[in-house]
Amino acid sequence: MPASMQEVKRRIVSTKKTGQITGAMQMVSTAKLNQIQKHAANYQIYSSKIRSVITHLAKSHLLDSSAVSGEVGKSQDGKVNTLSMIKQRPVKKTGIVVITSDRGLVGSYNSNVIKSTMDLIKNGNHNTEDTVIIAIGGTGADFFSKRGYNIVYEYRGVSDVPTFKEIRPIVETIVSMYDNEAYDQLVVCYSHFVNTLTSVFRAEQMLPISAENMGTDDLTEQDENDYQIEYETEPSQDAILEVILPQYAESLVYGAILDAKTSEHACSSTAMKSATDNAKDVISSLELQFNRARQSAITTEITEITGAQAALD
């Protein structure tokens, strides 16, 4: 067999093995996607309920009155006063939570999140001096660290289907940093899952929690009065907020991570399917090239045999 045909055959074997690997990875990613979609659907019920409660509190101006009357800061036992989550203060530093993956082979998932986050920083006239990064995922942590941004916290190794218990320490750290004025507002940036083929970038302000963030600016005066009289709090509105605000913060971060992980698995499945399909196309092209070379060699041998036979006659 000519050397060129041997090389083509080796490439065919190698590409087939690669296609088998990417095909297996596609099946794994699809299984993870199905699993996390079921988990996210169940969690969405809780998330929508807690958001509804906070929205109603914002519309009734309970958040505004607590922000004014509540004592914000550290309590005597050293724990974070959760009322600091609704405390408005001048924005000197902006914290950005960037959710990316820890690995590659996820198509354009990481690059889209990072590019959109950089655009957000640029459009907000921020720089490395007034921006701090909270990186969830190694890709984002490495990217922003190399470009001189202050990584105040990073978390690697998020589970394929993250649990609420796993994410809670992250939320506690984020809120504690806000309470200690490591930043004055916090934005969560991640890839939102639309469907298997489509994901869109989202940037949501998490802290401080305010009526503006809840989309209540378009209420009429009558609507506001109706909401104002809707709640009677016991023992006090501050005591209730100290329970509900951490749950809301946890739901925001956990929901964003869950959504981002769903998008990651979808991108990984799509990327591996594309790689498998490309491998099949390459194999078809190589097999055609191999068959043509073999047919040419056979034709040459027949011609040589025929010519030799004619010479003998």
Side-chain angles (χ1 to χ4, degrees):
M1 183 182 297
S4 59
M5 292 179 61
Q6 291 180 346
E7 178 62 25
V8 171
K9 192 170 184 178
R10 280 195 295 268
R11 290 183 60 190
I12 291 174
V13 173
S14 175
T15 306
K16 283 183 177 179
K17 290 180 179 179
T18 302
Q20 290 173 349
I21 294 172
T22 55
M25 293 176 69
Q26 177 195 346
M27 290 189 291
V28 170
S29 295
T30 301
K32 291 178 180 178
L33 175 61
N34 294 334
Q35 185 180 1
I36 199 171
Q37 279 184 297
K38 294 178 182 178
H39 191 73
N42 294 330
Y43 177 75
Q44 189 62 36
I45 299 173
Y46 166 80
S47 178
S48 61
K49 291 294 182 183
I50 193 70
R51 185 177 183 87
S52 175
V53 171
I54 291 293
T55 301
H56 278 243
L57 292 176
K59 289 176 179 178
S60 64
H61 295 285
L62 288 183
L63 297 184
D64 298 340
S65 59
S66 292
V68 173
S69 63
E71 182 181 352
V72 178
K74 295 281 186 180
S75 60
Q76 293 181 352
D77 57 3
K79 293 183 179 179
V80 175
N81 187 340
T82 55
L83 293 179
S84 65
M85 298 170 66
I86 57 176
K87 178 65 175 178
Q88 304 282 338
R89 57 178 183 249
V91 179
K92 298 177 182 177
K93 280 197 174 184
T94 299
I96 298 181
V97 180
V98 184
I99 305 175
T100 58
S101 70
D102 291 304
R103 59 185 181 87
L105 302 177
V106 289
S108 60
Y109 170 77
N110 288 318
S111 60
N112 287 342
V113 173
I114 291 174
K115 181 181 181 301
S116 298
T117 302
M118 291 297 292
D119 290 341
L120 179 70
I121 294 173
K122 181 179 179 181
N123 294 336
N125 294 320
H126 300 302
N127 51 51
T128 56
E129 300 298 325
D130 61 10
T131 304
V132 297
I133 302 295
I134 298 171
I136 301 177
T139 303
D142 295 338
F143 177 88
F144 286 99
S145 178
K146 291 178 180 177
R147 282 155 182 80
Y149 284 88
N150 181 17
I151 311 294
V152 293
Y153 178 79
E154 68 175 85
Y155 186 91
R156 299 174 186 251
V158 177
S159 303
D160 291 325
V161 183
T163 62
F164 197 82
K165 182 179 180 181
E166 178 185 0
I167 302 306
R168 177 167 288 173
I170 300 177
V171 181
E172 292 176 351
T173 302
I174 288 174
V175 174
S176 176
M177 287 181 176
Y178 180 77
D179 182 58
N180 293 324
E181 300 187 7
Y183 38 78
D184 303 300
Q185 71 174 4
L186 184 67
V187 180
V188 182
C189 299
Y190 64 99
S191 178
H192 167 62
F193 174 79
V194 178
N195 54 51
T196 307
L197 298 176
T198 306
S199 296
V200 295
F201 175 77
R202 271 191 180 178
E204 299 178 345
Q205 182 170 324
M206 173 182 165
L207 295 173
I209 299 171
S210 65
E212 289 77 9
N213 297 341
M214 308 305 299
T216 61
D217 295 336
D218 57 348
L219 288 178
T220 65
E221 183 176 351
Q222 182 60 43
D223 290 334
E224 292 184 350
N225 292 333
D226 292 342
Y227 277 111
Q228 192 105 26
I229 62 176
E230 187 172 337
Y231 289 95
E232 293 182 3
T233 57
E234 178 67 31
S236 68
Q237 65 185 43
D238 287 356
I240 292 174
L241 289 176
E242 286 178 359
V243 175
I244 201 72
L245 289 178
Q247 294 183 12
Y248 176 65
E250 290 169 352
S251 72
L252 277 181
V253 177
Y254 181 61
I257 292 176
L258 205 60
D259 197 0
K261 271 292 179 182
T262 306
S263 178
E264 178 187 335
H265 294 321
C267 288
S268 177
S269 177
T270 302
M272 293 302 99
K273 182 180 185 302
S274 178
T276 304
D277 293 341
N278 288 339
K280 291 178 181 178
D281 292 340
V282 171
I283 290 170
S284 297
S285 177
L286 289 174
E287 286 180 340
L288 179 61
Q289 181 181 344
F290 179 81
N291 291 333
R292 284 178 174 174
R294 184 175 61 176
Q295 184 63 44
S296 177
I298 292 173
T299 302
T300 300
E301 290 178 1
I302 293 175
T303 302
E304 290 175 352
I305 293 173
T306 303
Q309 183 66 39
L312 292 175
D313 293 341

